[in-house]
Amino acid sequence: AVILFWRPGCSYCASLMFQLEKTDLPLVEINIWEDPRAAESVRKITGGSETVPTVVVADFAMVNPSASQVLQAVNDHAPHLLPAESS
C-alpha cells in the first residue's frame, strides 16, 4: 500500500488525502502524533523534521508531494498497486 504520514491540522495533508482517495490506490494513513515510531520514520526520511505529508511508495519516499507525483511514484516503483482499468 501507499503509506501517507500526516498530522491533524495539516491542510496539505488533508488536501493530498482527499485527492488520493479518489484514485482508488491502497492507502494507509498514519497520524504521526499518535504513532511515535511513524514520527521517527518521518524524521529519518526528512533529515530530522516532522514535515508532512510524507509519502512512501515501496522504498521511495517523498515529502509534501502532489497527487500526480504519488501516482507517478506508484507507476515507477509499485505498478501492481495501480487500480485495474475498467474495460
Coordinates of all heavy atoms in Angstrom, one line a residue:
A1 N 0.8 -1.2 0.0 CA 0.0 0.0 0.0 C 0.9 1.3 0.0 O 2.0 1.2 0.4 CB -0.9 0.0 1.2
V2 N 0.3 2.3 -0.4 CA 0.9 3.7 -0.3 C 0.8 4.1 1.1 O -0.3 4.1 1.7 CB 0.3 4.7 -1.3 CG1 0.8 6.0 -1.1 CG2 0.4 4.2 -2.7
I3 N 1.9 4.5 1.8 CA 1.8 5.0 3.2 C 1.9 6.5 3.2 O 2.8 7.1 2.6 CB 3.0 4.4 4.0 CG1 2.9 2.9 3.9 CG2 3.0 4.9 5.4 CD1 4.1 2.2 4.5
L4 N 0.9 7.1 3.8 CA 0.9 8.6 3.9 C 0.9 8.9 5.4 O 0.0 8.6 6.2 CB -0.4 9.1 3.3 CG -0.5 10.6 3.2 CD1 -1.4 11.0 2.0 CD2 -1.1 11.2 4.4
F5 N 2.0 9.6 5.8 CA 2.2 10.1 7.1 C 1.6 11.5 7.2 O 1.9 12.3 6.3 CB 3.7 10.1 7.5 CG 4.3 8.8 7.6 CD1 5.2 8.4 6.6 CD2 4.1 7.9 8.7 CE1 5.8 7.1 6.6 CE2 4.8 6.7 8.7 CZ 5.6 6.3 7.7
W6 N 0.8 11.7 8.2 CA 0.1 13.0 8.3 C 0.0 13.4 9.8 O 0.3 12.6 10.7 CB -1.3 12.9 7.7 CG -2.3 12.0 8.5 CD1 -2.3 10.7 8.5 CD2 -3.3 12.4 9.3 NE1 -3.3 10.2 9.3 CE2 -3.9 11.3 9.9 CE3 -3.8 13.7 9.8 CZ2 -5.0 11.3 10.8 CZ3 -4.8 13.7 10.6 CH2 -5.4 12.6 11.1
R7 N -0.6 14.6 10.0 CA -0.9 15.0 11.4 C -2.2 15.9 11.3 O -2.4 16.5 10.3 CB 0.2 15.8 12.0 CG 0.6 17.1 11.4 CD 1.5 17.9 12.2 NE 2.0 19.1 11.4 CZ 1.2 20.1 11.1 NH1 0.0 20.2 11.6 NH2 1.7 21.1 10.4
P8 N -2.9 15.9 12.4 CA -4.1 16.8 12.5 C -3.8 18.3 12.2 O -2.7 18.7 12.7 CB -4.7 16.5 13.9 CG -4.1 15.2 14.3 CD -2.8 15.1 13.6
G9 N -4.6 18.9 11.6 CA -4.5 20.4 11.3 C -3.6 20.7 10.1 O -3.5 21.9 9.8
C10 N -3.1 19.7 9.5 CA -2.2 20.0 8.3 C -3.1 20.0 7.0 O -3.6 19.0 6.6 CB -1.2 18.8 8.2 SG -0.3 18.9 6.6
S11 N -3.2 21.2 6.5 CA -4.1 21.4 5.3 C -3.5 20.7 4.1 O -4.3 20.2 3.2 CB -4.4 22.9 5.0 OG -3.1 23.6 4.8
Y12 N -2.2 20.7 4.0 CA -1.6 20.0 2.9 C -1.9 18.5 3.0 O -2.1 17.8 1.9 CB 0.0 20.2 2.9 CG 0.4 21.6 2.7 CD1 0.8 22.4 3.7 CD2 0.2 22.2 1.4 CE1 1.2 23.7 3.5 CE2 0.6 23.5 1.2 CZ 1.1 24.3 2.3 OH 1.4 25.6 2.1
C13 N -1.9 17.9 4.2 CA -2.2 16.5 4.4 C -3.6 16.2 4.0 O -3.9 15.3 3.2 CB -2.0 16.1 5.8 SG -0.3 16.2 6.4
A14 N -4.5 17.1 4.4 CA -6.0 16.9 4.1 C -6.2 17.0 2.6 O -7.0 16.1 2.1 CB -6.8 18.0 4.9
S15 N -5.6 17.9 2.0 CA -5.8 18.0 0.5 C -5.2 16.8 -0.2 O -5.9 16.3 -1.1 CB -5.0 19.3 0.0 OG -5.1 19.4 -1.4
L16 N -4.0 16.4 0.1 CA -3.5 15.2 -0.5 C -4.3 13.9 -0.2 O -4.6 13.1 -1.2 CB -2.0 15.0 -0.1 CG -1.3 13.8 -0.8 CD1 -1.2 14.0 -2.3 CD2 0.1 13.7 -0.2
M17 N -4.7 13.8 1.0 CA -5.6 12.6 1.3 C -6.8 12.6 0.5 O -7.2 11.6 0.0 CB -5.9 12.6 2.8 CG -4.6 12.3 3.7 SD -4.7 12.7 5.4 CE -6.0 11.7 6.0
F18 N -7.5 13.8 0.4 CA -8.7 13.9 -0.4 C -8.5 13.5 -1.8 O -9.2 12.7 -2.4 CB -9.2 15.3 -0.3 CG -10.5 15.6 -1.1 CD1 -11.7 15.1 -0.7 CD2 -10.4 16.3 -2.3 CE1 -12.8 15.3 -1.5 CE2 -11.5 16.5 -3.1 CZ -12.8 16.0 -2.6
Q19 N -7.4 14.0 -2.4 CA -7.1 13.7 -3.8 C -6.7 12.3 -4.0 O -7.1 11.6 -5.0 CB -5.9 14.6 -4.3 CG -6.3 16.1 -4.4 CD -5.1 16.9 -4.7 OE1 -4.3 16.6 -5.5 NE2 -4.9 18.0 -3.9
L20 N -6.0 11.7 -3.1 CA -5.6 10.3 -3.3 C -6.7 9.3 -3.1 O -6.7 8.2 -3.7 CB -4.4 9.9 -2.3 CG -3.1 10.6 -2.7 CD1 -2.0 10.2 -1.7 CD2 -2.6 10.2 -4.1
E21 N -7.7 9.7 -2.2 CA -8.8 8.8 -2.0 C -9.6 8.6 -3.3 O -10.3 7.6 -3.5 CB -9.7 9.3 -0.9 CG -9.1 9.1 0.5 CD -9.8 9.8 1.6 OE1 -10.8 10.5 1.4 OE2 -9.3 9.6 2.8
K22 N -9.6 9.6 -4.2 CA -10.3 9.5 -5.5 C -9.6 8.5 -6.5 O -10.2 8.1 -7.5 CB -10.3 10.9 -6.1 CG -11.2 11.9 -5.4 CD -11.1 13.2 -6.2 CE -11.7 14.3 -5.4 NZ -11.6 15.6 -6.2
T23 N -8.3 8.2 -6.2 CA -7.6 7.3 -7.1 C -7.8 5.8 -7.0 O -7.3 5.1 -7.8 CB -6.0 7.6 -7.0 OG1 -5.6 7.1 -5.7 CG2 -5.7 9.1 -7.1
D24 N -8.4 5.4 -5.9 CA -8.5 4.0 -5.5 C -7.2 3.3 -5.3 O -7.2 2.1 -5.3 CB -9.3 3.3 -6.6 CG -10.8 3.7 -6.6 OD1 -11.3 4.1 -5.6 OD2 -11.4 3.7 -7.7
L25 N -6.1 4.0 -5.0 CA -4.9 3.4 -4.6 C -5.1 2.8 -3.2 O -5.8 3.4 -2.4 CB -3.8 4.4 -4.6 CG -3.2 4.9 -5.9 CD1 -2.2 6.0 -5.6 CD2 -2.5 3.7 -6.6
P26 N -4.5 1.7 -2.9 CA -4.5 1.2 -1.5 C -3.7 2.2 -0.6 O -2.5 2.4 -0.9 CB -3.9 -0.2 -1.5 CG -3.1 -0.2 -2.8 CD -3.7 0.8 -3.7
L27 N -4.3 2.8 0.3 CA -3.7 3.9 1.1 C -3.8 3.6 2.6 O -4.8 3.3 3.1 CB -4.4 5.2 0.7 CG -3.9 6.5 1.3 CD1 -2.5 6.8 0.7 CD2 -4.8 7.7 0.9
V28 N -2.6 3.7 3.2 CA -2.6 3.6 4.7 C -2.2 5.0 5.2 O -1.1 5.5 4.9 CB -1.5 2.5 5.1 CG1 -1.4 2.5 6.6 CG2 -1.9 1.2 4.6
E29 N -3.1 5.6 6.0 CA -2.9 6.9 6.6 C -2.4 6.7 8.0 O -3.1 6.1 8.8 CB -4.2 7.7 6.5 CG -4.6 7.9 5.0 CD -6.0 8.4 4.9 OE1 -6.7 8.6 5.9 OE2 -6.4 8.7 3.8
I30 N -1.3 7.3 8.4 CA -0.7 7.2 9.7 C -0.5 8.5 10.3 O 0.3 9.4 9.8 CB 0.6 6.4 9.7 CG1 0.4 5.0 9.1 CG2 1.1 6.2 11.1 CD1 1.7 4.2 8.9
N31 N -1.2 8.8 11.5 CA -1.1 10.0 12.2 C 0.2 10.0 13.0 O 0.3 9.2 14.0 CB -2.3 10.2 13.1 CG -2.3 11.5 13.9 OD1 -1.3 12.1 14.1 ND2 -3.4 11.8 14.5
I32 N 1.2 10.9 12.7 CA 2.5 10.8 13.4 C 2.3 11.3 14.8 O 3.2 11.1 15.6 CB 3.6 11.6 12.6 CG1 3.3 13.1 12.6 CG2 3.8 11.0 11.3 CD1 4.5 13.9 12.1
W33 N 1.3 12.0 15.2 CA 1.1 12.4 16.6 C 0.6 11.3 17.5 O 0.7 11.4 18.7 CB 0.1 13.6 16.6 CG 0.8 14.9 16.2 CD1 2.1 15.1 15.8 CD2 0.2 16.2 16.2 NE1 2.3 16.4 15.5 CE2 1.1 17.1 15.7 CE3 -1.1 16.7 16.4 CZ2 0.9 18.5 15.5 CZ3 -1.4 18.0 16.3 CH2 -0.4 18.9 15.8
E34 N 0.0 10.3 16.8 CA -0.4 9.1 17.6 C 0.5 7.9 17.6 O 0.3 6.9 18.3 CB -1.8 8.7 17.1 CG -2.9 9.7 17.4 CD -4.3 9.2 16.9 OE1 -4.4 8.2 16.2 OE2 -5.2 9.9 17.2
D35 N 1.5 8.0 16.7 CA 2.4 6.9 16.5 C 3.9 7.3 16.5 O 4.4 7.8 15.5 CB 2.1 6.2 15.2 CG 2.9 4.9 14.9 OD1 4.0 4.7 15.5 OD2 2.4 4.1 14.1
P36 N 4.5 7.2 17.7 CA 5.9 7.7 17.8 C 6.9 7.1 16.8 O 7.8 7.7 16.3 CB 6.3 7.4 19.2 CG 5.0 7.2 20.0 CD 4.0 6.7 18.9
R37 N 6.7 5.8 16.5 CA 7.5 5.1 15.5 C 7.3 5.7 14.1 O 8.3 5.9 13.4 CB 7.3 3.6 15.5 CG 7.7 3.0 16.8 CD 7.4 1.5 16.9 NE 8.2 0.8 15.9 CZ 7.8 -0.4 15.5 NH1 6.8 -1.0 16.0 NH2 8.6 -1.1 14.6
A38 N 6.1 6.1 13.8 CA 5.9 6.8 12.5 C 6.5 8.1 12.5 O 7.1 8.5 11.4 CB 4.4 6.9 12.3
A39 N 6.5 8.9 13.6 CA 7.1 10.2 13.6 C 8.6 10.0 13.4 O 9.3 10.8 12.7 CB 6.8 10.9 15.0
E40 N 9.2 9.0 14.0 CA 10.6 8.7 13.9 C 10.9 8.3 12.4 O 12.0 8.8 11.9 CB 11.0 7.5 14.8 CG 12.5 7.1 14.7 CD 12.8 5.9 15.5 OE1 12.0 5.5 16.4 OE2 13.9 5.4 15.3
S41 N 10.1 7.6 11.8 CA 10.3 7.3 10.3 C 10.3 8.5 9.5 O 11.1 8.7 8.6 CB 9.2 6.3 9.8 OG 9.2 5.1 10.5
V42 N 9.4 9.4 9.8 CA 9.3 10.7 9.0 C 10.6 11.5 9.3 O 11.2 12.1 8.3 CB 8.1 11.5 9.4 CG1 8.1 12.9 8.8 CG2 6.8 10.8 8.9
R43 N 11.1 11.6 10.5 CA 12.3 12.3 10.8 C 13.5 11.7 10.0 O 14.3 12.5 9.5 CB 12.6 12.3 12.3 CG 11.6 13.3 13.1 CD 12.1 13.5 14.5 NE 12.2 12.3 15.3 CZ 11.2 11.7 15.9 NH1 10.0 12.3 15.9 NH2 11.3 10.6 16.6
K44 N 13.5 10.4 9.9 CA 14.6 9.8 9.1 C 14.5 10.1 7.7 O 15.5 10.4 7.0 CB 14.6 8.2 9.3 CG 15.1 7.8 10.6 CD 15.0 6.3 10.7 CE 15.5 5.8 12.1 NZ 15.3 4.3 12.3
I45 N 13.3 10.2 7.1 CA 13.1 10.5 5.7 C 13.5 11.9 5.4 O 14.1 12.2 4.4 CB 11.7 10.2 5.3 CG1 11.4 8.6 5.3 CG2 11.4 10.8 3.9 CD1 10.0 8.3 5.2
T46 N 13.1 12.8 6.3 CA 13.2 14.3 6.1 C 14.5 14.9 6.6 O 14.7 16.1 6.4 CB 12.0 15.0 6.7 OG1 12.1 14.9 8.1 CG2 10.7 14.6 6.2
G47 N 15.3 14.1 7.2 CA 16.6 14.6 7.8 C 16.4 15.3 9.1 O 17.2 16.2 9.5
G48 N 15.4 14.9 9.9 CA 15.2 15.4 11.2 C 14.0 16.2 11.5 O 13.6 16.4 12.7
S49 N 13.2 16.6 10.5 CA 12.0 17.3 10.8 C 10.8 16.3 10.7 O 10.9 15.2 10.2 CB 11.8 18.5 9.8 OG 11.5 18.0 8.5
E50 N 9.6 16.8 11.2 CA 8.4 16.0 11.0 C 7.5 16.7 10.0 O 6.3 16.9 10.2 CB 7.7 15.9 12.4 CG 8.5 15.1 13.4 CD 7.8 14.9 14.7 OE1 6.7 15.4 14.9 OE2 8.4 14.2 15.6
T51 N 8.1 16.9 8.8 CA 7.3 17.5 7.7 C 6.4 16.5 7.1 O 6.8 15.4 6.8 CB 8.3 18.0 6.6 OG1 9.2 18.9 7.2 CG2 7.5 18.7 5.5
V52 N 5.1 16.9 7.1 CA 4.1 16.1 6.5 C 3.3 16.9 5.5 O 3.3 18.1 5.6 CB 3.1 15.5 7.6 CG1 3.8 14.4 8.4 CG2 2.6 16.6 8.5
P53 N 2.7 16.3 4.5 CA 2.6 14.9 4.3 C 3.9 14.3 3.8 O 4.6 14.9 3.0 CB 1.5 14.7 3.3 CG 1.5 16.0 2.5 CD 1.9 17.0 3.5
T54 N 4.3 13.1 4.3 CA 5.4 12.4 3.8 C 4.7 11.1 3.3 O 3.9 10.5 4.0 CB 6.4 12.1 4.9 OG1 7.0 13.4 5.2 CG2 7.5 11.2 4.4
V55 N 5.1 10.7 2.1 CA 4.5 9.5 1.4 C 5.6 8.5 1.1 O 6.7 8.9 0.6 CB 3.7 9.9 0.2 CG1 3.2 8.7 -0.5 CG2 2.6 10.9 0.5
V56 N 5.3 7.2 1.3 CA 6.3 6.2 1.0 C 5.6 5.2 0.0 O 4.5 4.7 0.3 CB 6.8 5.4 2.2 CG1 7.7 4.3 1.8 CG2 7.5 6.4 3.2
V57 N 6.2 5.0 -1.1 CA 5.7 4.0 -2.1 C 6.9 3.0 -2.3 O 8.0 3.4 -2.8 CB 5.4 4.7 -3.5 CG1 5.0 3.7 -4.5 CG2 4.3 5.7 -3.3
A58 N 6.7 1.8 -1.9 CA 7.7 0.8 -1.9 C 8.9 1.3 -1.1 O 8.7 1.6 0.1 CB 8.1 0.4 -3.3
D59 N 10.1 1.5 -1.6 CA 11.2 2.0 -0.9 C 11.4 3.5 -1.3 O 12.5 4.0 -1.0 CB 12.5 1.2 -1.2 CG 12.4 -0.2 -0.6 OD1 11.7 -0.3 0.5 OD2 13.0 -1.1 -1.1
F60 N 10.5 4.1 -2.0 CA 10.7 5.5 -2.4 C 9.8 6.5 -1.6 O 8.6 6.3 -1.4 CB 10.2 5.6 -3.9 CG 10.4 6.9 -4.5 CD1 11.7 7.3 -4.9 CD2 9.4 7.8 -4.8 CE1 11.9 8.6 -5.5 CE2 9.5 9.0 -5.4 CZ 10.8 9.4 -5.7
A61 N 10.5 7.4 -1.0 CA 9.8 8.4 -0.1 C 9.8 9.8 -0.7 O 10.7 10.2 -1.4 CB 10.6 8.4 1.2
M62 N 8.7 10.5 -0.4 CA 8.5 11.9 -0.9 C 8.0 12.7 0.2 O 7.1 12.3 1.0 CB 7.5 11.9 -2.1 CG 7.9 11.1 -3.3 SD 6.5 10.8 -4.4 CE 5.6 9.5 -3.4
V63 N 8.5 14.0 0.3 CA 8.0 14.9 1.3 C 7.1 16.0 0.6 O 7.6 16.6 -0.4 CB 9.2 15.6 2.0 CG1 8.7 16.6 3.0 CG2 10.0 14.5 2.7
N64 N 5.9 16.1 1.0 CA 4.9 17.1 0.5 C 4.7 16.9 -1.0 O 4.8 17.9 -1.7 CB 5.3 18.5 0.9 CG 4.2 19.5 0.8 OD1 3.0 19.0 0.8 ND2 4.5 20.7 0.7
P65 N 4.5 15.7 -1.5 CA 4.3 15.5 -2.9 C 2.9 15.9 -3.3 O 1.9 16.0 -2.5 CB 4.5 14.0 -3.1 CG 3.9 13.5 -1.8 CD 4.3 14.4 -0.7
S66 N 2.7 16.1 -4.6 CA 1.4 16.3 -5.2 C 0.8 14.9 -5.5 O 1.5 13.9 -5.5 CB 1.5 17.1 -6.5 OG 2.1 16.3 -7.5
A67 N -0.5 14.9 -5.7 CA -1.1 13.6 -6.0 C -0.6 13.0 -7.3 O -0.3 11.8 -7.4 CB -2.7 13.8 -6.1
S68 N -0.3 13.8 -8.3 CA 0.3 13.3 -9.5 C 1.7 12.8 -9.3 O 2.1 11.8 -9.9 CB 0.3 14.4 -10.6 OG 1.1 15.5 -10.2
Q69 N 2.5 13.4 -8.4 CA 3.8 12.8 -8.0 C 3.7 11.4 -7.4 O 4.5 10.5 -7.6 CB 4.6 13.8 -7.2 CG 5.1 15.0 -7.9 CD 5.6 16.0 -6.9 OE1 5.1 16.3 -5.9 NE2 6.8 16.6 -7.3
V70 N 2.7 11.3 -6.5 CA 2.4 10.0 -5.9 C 2.1 9.0 -6.9 O 2.6 7.8 -6.9 CB 1.3 10.1 -4.8 CG1 1.0 8.7 -4.2 CG2 1.8 11.0 -3.7
L71 N 1.2 9.3 -7.8 CA 0.8 8.4 -8.9 C 2.0 8.0 -9.8 O 2.1 6.8 -10.1 CB -0.4 9.0 -9.7 CG -1.7 9.0 -9.1 CD1 -2.7 9.9 -9.8 CD2 -2.3 7.6 -8.9
Q72 N 2.8 8.9 -10.1 CA 4.0 8.6 -10.9 C 4.9 7.7 -10.1 O 5.5 6.8 -10.7 CB 4.7 9.9 -11.2 CG 5.9 9.7 -12.2 CD 5.5 9.1 -13.5 OE1 4.6 9.6 -14.2 NE2 6.1 8.0 -13.9
A73 N 5.1 7.9 -8.8 CA 5.9 7.1 -8.0 C 5.4 5.6 -7.9 O 6.1 4.7 -8.0 CB 6.1 7.6 -6.6
V74 N 4.0 5.5 -7.8 CA 3.4 4.2 -7.8 C 3.7 3.5 -9.2 O 4.1 2.4 -9.3 CB 1.9 4.3 -7.5 CG1 1.2 3.0 -7.8 CG2 1.7 4.8 -6.1
N75 N 3.5 4.3 -10.3 CA 3.8 3.7 -11.6 C 5.2 3.3 -11.7 O 5.5 2.2 -12.3 CB 3.4 4.8 -12.7 CG 3.5 4.2 -14.0 OD1 2.7 3.3 -14.4 ND2 4.3 4.8 -14.9
D76 N 6.1 4.0 -11.2 CA 7.6 3.7 -11.3 C 8.1 2.6 -10.4 O 8.9 1.9 -10.7 CB 8.4 5.0 -11.1 CG 8.2 6.0 -12.2 OD1 7.7 5.7 -13.2 OD2 8.6 7.2 -11.9
H77 N 7.5 2.6 -9.1 CA 8.1 1.8 -8.1 C 7.2 0.7 -7.6 O 7.6 -0.3 -7.0 CB 8.5 2.6 -6.9 CG 9.5 3.7 -7.2 ND1 10.8 3.5 -7.3 CD2 9.3 5.0 -7.5 CE1 11.4 4.6 -7.7 NE2 10.6 5.5 -7.8
A78 N 5.9 0.8 -7.8 CA 4.9 -0.3 -7.4 C 3.7 -0.3 -8.3 O 2.6 -0.1 -7.9 CB 4.5 0.0 -5.9
P79 N 3.9 -0.6 -9.6 CA 2.8 -0.6 -10.5 C 1.7 -1.6 -10.2 O 0.5 -1.3 -10.6 CB 3.4 -0.9 -11.9 CG 4.8 -1.5 -11.6 CD 5.2 -1.0 -10.2
H80 N 2.0 -2.6 -9.4 CA 1.0 -3.5 -9.0 C -0.1 -2.9 -8.1 O -1.2 -3.5 -8.0 CB 1.6 -4.7 -8.3 CG 2.3 -4.4 -7.1 ND1 3.6 -3.8 -7.1 CD2 2.0 -4.5 -5.8 CE1 4.0 -3.6 -5.8 NE2 3.0 -4.0 -5.0
L81 N 0.2 -1.7 -7.6 CA -0.8 -1.0 -6.7 C -1.8 -0.2 -7.5 O -2.8 0.2 -7.0 CB -0.1 -0.1 -5.7 CG 0.8 -0.8 -4.7 CD1 1.5 0.2 -3.8 CD2 0.0 -1.8 -3.8
L82 N -1.5 0.0 -8.8 CA -2.4 0.8 -9.6 C -3.7 0.1 -9.8 O -3.8 -1.1 -10.0 CB -1.8 1.1 -11.0 CG -0.6 2.0 -11.0 CD1 0.1 2.0 -12.4 CD2 -1.0 3.4 -10.6
P83 N -4.8 0.8 -9.7 CA -6.1 0.2 -9.8 C -6.3 -0.4 -11.3 O -5.8 0.2 -12.2 CB -7.2 1.3 -9.6 CG -6.4 2.5 -9.1 CD -4.9 2.2 -9.4
A84 N -6.9 -1.5 -11.4 CA -7.2 -2.1 -12.7 C -8.1 -1.2 -13.5 O -9.1 -0.6 -12.9 CB -7.8 -3.5 -12.5
E85 N -7.8 -1.0 -14.7 CA -8.7 -0.1 -15.6 C -9.9 -0.9 -16.0 O -9.9 -2.1 -16.2 CB -7.9 0.3 -16.8 CG -6.7 1.1 -16.4 CD -6.4 2.1 -17.5 OE1 -7.1 2.3 -18.5 OE2 -5.3 2.7 -17.4
S86 N -11.0 -0.2 -16.0 CA -12.3 -0.8 -16.4 C -12.3 -1.0 -17.9 O -11.8 -0.2 -18.6 CB -13.5 0.1 -16.0 OG -13.5 0.3 -14.7
S87 N -12.8 -2.1 -18.4 CA -12.9 -2.4 -19.8 C -14.2 -2.1 -20.4 O -15.2 -2.0 -19.8 CB -12.4 -3.8 -20.2 OG -12.5 -4.7 -19.2

